[in-house]
Amino acid sequence: MGKQATKSAQATRTNLLNVPYGDGEGEKLDIYFPEAGSEGDSLGVSNLLQFSAIALKRKHVIVQMRRPGLEVPRSRGLCVMCKDESAFMVNPLTAQGVAVVVVAYDIAPKGSLGRMVDQVARSVAFVQKRYPCNEGIYLCGHSAGAHLAAMMLLVNWTEHGVTCNLKGFFLLSGIYDLEPLVHIFWKEPLLLTPEDAQRTSPQWLLEAAPRRPADPACHVLVIVGQYDSPEFRRQSREFYQGPHRSLAQMFSEPRTLCRGGWKASFEELQDVDHFEIVWKLTQKDYGLNQIILKTIFQDGL
């Protein structure tokens, strides 16, 4: 499914592939430009490569984190999907004038969670620097990719030398509290310790966020499938609104998006499981694509 979607995107969309955003071997990203004649197109396709920075001057950019080696579906096994298998949303979104960037980074055991978070932050900063006149950058991640996208809520972008024009986050069936995973991944490949879980759990780190988004209208959408496993459903809802708890616990347990003052919403997509929620992004009429496009173009008004 992913390979077919990526082959189609590469064959039918103007693109730049394997663009380095850092010096590491795995630090590459693919950029897919809006289709000629789409709502956001301002230059002909023949000019997009030569004038790519100008071509995106009036475009929205969505940055998609492909999933690293941290999947915890029914089997509790590892599912590794590379950048070259993750261009699900390219064709439906570029047809509407949205540039799509698919990011790769080092997976376990080569990459620790801390390294993955740093690589994703540097990739976002790279896109902002390359296309400084973008009308908005939106981050999208699925499963463990949603965890990495959520970690970008906590980044101090001045440390990366940019002010990122972040307009929205699409967090699909994500993991936001890593503590329950410690007993699964305390051995290879992640060597996840309780300390690592605390340092890289956006659910807990929101309390220490250095600042709110520069744009107070930045929208965080937490999305889960109707047939996702109970743990993904629980974590998604609690990241959005917090667990049911006593008044005393509210001051000792982590903030979630709603209590932290973020502009957030929660969506449960009907009739999809953990994998179908992202596989169906290839379909232009898929409800999630409509949610993404509505959010992008309403924010752009």
Side-chain angles (χ1 to χ4, degrees), residues 155-164 210-211:
V155 172
N156 182 350
W157 294 106
T158 60
E159 295 178 357
H160 295 271
V162 297
T163 300
C164 277
R211 59 178 53 80

Side-chain angles (χ1 to χ4, degrees), residues 121-194:
R122 287 191 287 111
S123 74
V124 176
F126 172 87
V127 171
Q128 178 63 48
K129 291 175 182 177
R130 185 172 182 124
Y131 303 110
C133 296
N134 68 79
E135 289 189 352
I137 293 177
Y138 298 78
L139 306 186
C140 179
H142 171 244
S143 196
H147 160 262
L148 293 175
M151 288 295 291
M152 298 303 102
L153 292 166
L154 300 149
V155 172
N156 182 350
W157 294 106
T158 60
E159 295 178 357
H160 295 271
V162 297
T163 300
C164 277
N165 189 24
L166 289 174
K167 296 289 189 178
F169 293 75
F170 303 105
L171 309 178
L172 315 181
S173 302
I175 293 288
Y176 311 105
D177 176 8
L178 301 188
E179 190 278 331
L181 308 186
V182 171
H183 70 283
I184 301 174
F185 293 114
W186 66 275
K187 293 183 178 180
E188 295 285 357
L190 278 180
L191 300 175
L192 187 64
T193 67

Side-chain angles (χ1 to χ4, degrees), residues 30 78 105 130 137 162 173 182 211 241 261 273 281 285:
D30 295 343
L78 293 177
Y105 40 83
R130 185 172 182 124
I137 293 177
V162 297
S173 302
V182 171
R211 59 178 53 80
Q241 67 181 17
D273 61 23
L281 285 168
D285 295 327

